[in-house]
Amino acid sequence: MTHDHDVVLRPTPRQVAAALNPPPGRNGGDLVVETLQGLGATTVFGLPGQHALGMFDALRRSDLAYVGLRVENNAGFAADAYGRITGEAAPLLLSTGPGALTSLAALQEAAAASSPVIAISSQVPTAGLGGGRHGYLHELRDQKASFRDVVKSVHTVRSQSQIPSAIAAAWESALSAPHGPVWVEIPQDVLLAETALPVVTAMDACPEDLLPRPELTAVAAELLAGAARPAIIAGGGVVRADASGKLLALAERLDAPVVTTFGGKGAFPWEHPLSLQSWLEDRHTTDFLEDADVLLVVGSGLGELSSNYHTFQPRGRIIQIEADLGKLESNHPALGIHADARIALQALLETVPERRDERAAERVRTVLDRVRARIEAQDLGEERRVLAAVREALPAGAPSFWDMTILAYWAWSAWPGSMHSAQGAGGLGYGFPAALGAAVADPGRPALAVSGDGGAMYSIAELATARQYDLPVTWLIVDDGGYGILREYMTDTFGEATATELARPDFVALAESFGVPAVRTTADTLTADLAKALAAPGPSVVVLPALLKMFAPTHL
């Protein structure tokens, strides 16, 4: 009897000949790029450094496309967005010490958003490992320790023969549910030394499916079938698992209203009769969800933003489907199902009977009417007009990437459909480099980045990247003279703001100095100016001087 694990793949005579006669001039860096190509990578992001030069030298002997950014953190954001757009692992090549550490905030965002980034860093020569006292440039006592609390897994290499297996293991980890960033580090001398090892060809690194336990989905199906007032919260896990179609089918079968979290935007059709949209910072939405007798939470840990700042106190039974074991029942007791969202939803579709509730759509309209009335009662016409102008200008299907800025906070709740933001970890500087990564993934359509003037300064150097690679990204910078969100928070809490006002450049002139077309606009001309910029080839900048306000919170 033959078992799968007994099967041995035998090389062909041609493969044997090639293995015994590898081409000359290869080094450890070639093993890195050959492994990435063998795993299916086509594009890498990064920034070179002294210890990593072996990898970068090998790039010129490979078919990999390289996109170099100006700051490692921005390279990480670009790789994150590439992973979000394609669903593929995004290699990120880094150097040692300062270069590696500068990527930490981006890797934290990738971890929070479940983006499959393969960070491959150099290390000091093997003779200097473990002590931190050898005096090598960029040396850390334990570099990987800085990343272990951020990434999904850490993989270390000490010899050339370990390179393919370590990168393949990292690849599999990054693409296993939940997706996430991983860390590989390789010493400088291992990367530089000439190698006689065979050329790495096709690699096998297939992640295993994360299947739900059938007895748990059976209980969940029974609870949903018997519910009087079911509701669904759809998080980012639905988007990452490409499970939007399954969610729609289940919601319609149950007549269950659906709220999408800020990270789950696009998981459910915005104008669907069962869509409660994304007004999570609204007490009317919170009250509705608390009243559900069975609440199905898919791909969300019900963290701070998804629970209206932890004011959400459900009274009914919760079913939580979550691929990240650490988020399962982390905030509320539930029937916890550790599984990939797509597979678990399919299991429910196969077992849940049809349930009709003729009042479900009416109850959804009532909640949305109350939300709309609350917003209309506040003096927020300018903010709503600006957001609507951006939405009108963006072509259908074009992705948008939002920094931590007031307009993005509005978009979390009010933007109809899919968007990408840094709300997972909440760091500044995400929008523009992320949009560059998306444009690399799909250069045939424009991408939009939205930043405030404070966040824009984190990634202004990447205007050079946008110009160098001629990427079709339009960057909308809302210039309010400082850190607008922090200004509001401090004024509301302390009566006045401190350390929030900023000197800033003339963004139009600065962009033009990089060779990037730019225009200063107003709320009245924003739609036309933004649409024109998005329709033009290559990068562009649109600057909107505006002091926007947030809507009043309703979680207090």
Side-chain angles (χ1 to χ4, degrees), residues 149-348:
D149 189 48
V150 174
V151 299
K152 281 188 68 179
S153 58
V154 169
H155 308 262
T156 57
V157 169
R158 293 296 178 263
S159 67
Q160 290 183 342
S161 62
Q162 297 174 355
I163 289 174
S165 294
I167 294 177
W171 187 279
E172 183 174 333
S173 175
L175 290 174
S176 296
H179 293 178
V182 295
W183 182 257
V184 182
E185 59 180 37
I186 309 172
Q188 177 190 28
D189 54 327
V190 176
L191 291 170
L192 288 175
E194 188 173 350
T195 185
L197 291 172
V199 173
V200 183
T201 54
M203 294 288 294
D204 185 11
C206 298
E208 294 185 4
D209 290 333
L210 185 55
L211 304 175
R213 287 166 46 199
E215 71 273 19
L216 295 179
T217 55
V219 173
E222 185 72 16
L223 289 171
L224 290 167
R229 298 179 309 282
I232 299 173
I233 297 178
V238 176
V239 178
R240 301 290 173 264
D242 193 21
S244 301
K246 306 288 187 187
L247 175 68
L248 175 61
L250 183 64
E252 290 180 339
R253 179 171 297 185
L254 292 169
D255 263 347
V258 178
V259 175
T260 54
T261 70
F262 304 151
K265 293 183 72 68
F268 196 75
W270 187 257
E271 298 294 346
H272 192 282
L274 293 172
S275 175
L276 281 162
Q277 301 177 357
S278 299
W279 292 96
L280 288 167
E281 289 187 69
D282 190 289
R283 194 65 224 177
H284 300 302
T285 303
T286 305
D287 288 343
F288 183 92
L289 295 173
E290 287 180 345
D291 186 55
D293 60 339
V294 177
L295 182 64
L296 175 62
V297 182
V298 189
S300 172
L302 293 180
E304 182 179 22
L305 297 181
S306 301
S307 63
N308 204 354
Y309 298 90
H310 293 302
T311 62
F312 173 53
Q313 297 297 327
R315 294 186 292 273
R317 186 76 182 271
I318 298 178
I319 303 164
Q320 186 184 12
I321 298 170
E322 176 57 57
D324 187 339
L325 191 59
K327 294 179 180 178
L328 203 62
E329 297 191 72
S330 59
N331 287 301
H332 297 279
L335 174 66
I337 302 176
H338 183 217
D340 176 84
R342 182 180 178 87
I343 300 172
L345 288 172
Q346 178 60 37
L348 291 178

Side-chain angles (χ1 to χ4, degrees), residues 343-418:
I343 300 172
L345 288 172
Q346 178 60 37
L348 291 178
L349 280 170
E350 292 173 359
T351 52
V352 172
E354 189 171 354
R355 174 192 170 277
R356 294 273 65 88
D357 182 354
E358 295 178 358
R359 295 191 60 247
E362 178 187 343
R363 291 190 295 125
V364 167
R365 285 195 301 272
T366 298
V367 173
L368 293 179
D369 286 345
R370 289 172 177 169
V371 171
R372 191 175 300 108
R374 180 178 74 85
I375 297 298
E376 289 176 350
Q378 302 174 47
D379 183 19
L380 298 168
E382 182 82 347
E383 289 75 9
R384 296 167 67 193
R385 191 156 62 105
V386 167
L387 192 65
V390 176
R391 186 70 190 91
E392 185 178 347
L394 190 66
S400 60
F401 294 82
W402 303 68
D403 216 332
M404 299 294 285
T405 186
I406 286 179
L407 193 60
Y409 279 44
W410 268 93
W412 290 349
S413 293
W415 184 264
S418 177

Side-chain angles (χ1 to χ4, degrees), residues 99-185:
L101 294 177
T102 303
S103 72
L104 267 170
L107 294 177
Q108 183 189 6
E109 176 57 38
S114 297
S115 294
V117 176
I118 311 287
I120 303 177
S121 165
S122 58
Q123 248 291 20
V124 298
T126 50
L129 296 176
R133 299 180 180 87
H134 297 272
Y136 286 106
L137 188 69
H138 308 326
E139 184 177 4
L140 293 167
R141 284 179 296 177
D142 187 1
Q143 177 174 275
K144 63 182 179 296
S146 299
F147 294 85
R148 188 172 283 115
D149 189 48
V150 174
V151 299
K152 281 188 68 179
S153 58
V154 169
H155 308 262
T156 57
V157 169
R158 293 296 178 263
S159 67
Q160 290 183 342
S161 62
Q162 297 174 355
I163 289 174
S165 294
I167 294 177
W171 187 279
E172 183 174 333
S173 175
L175 290 174
S176 296
H179 293 178
V182 295
W183 182 257
V184 182
E185 59 180 37

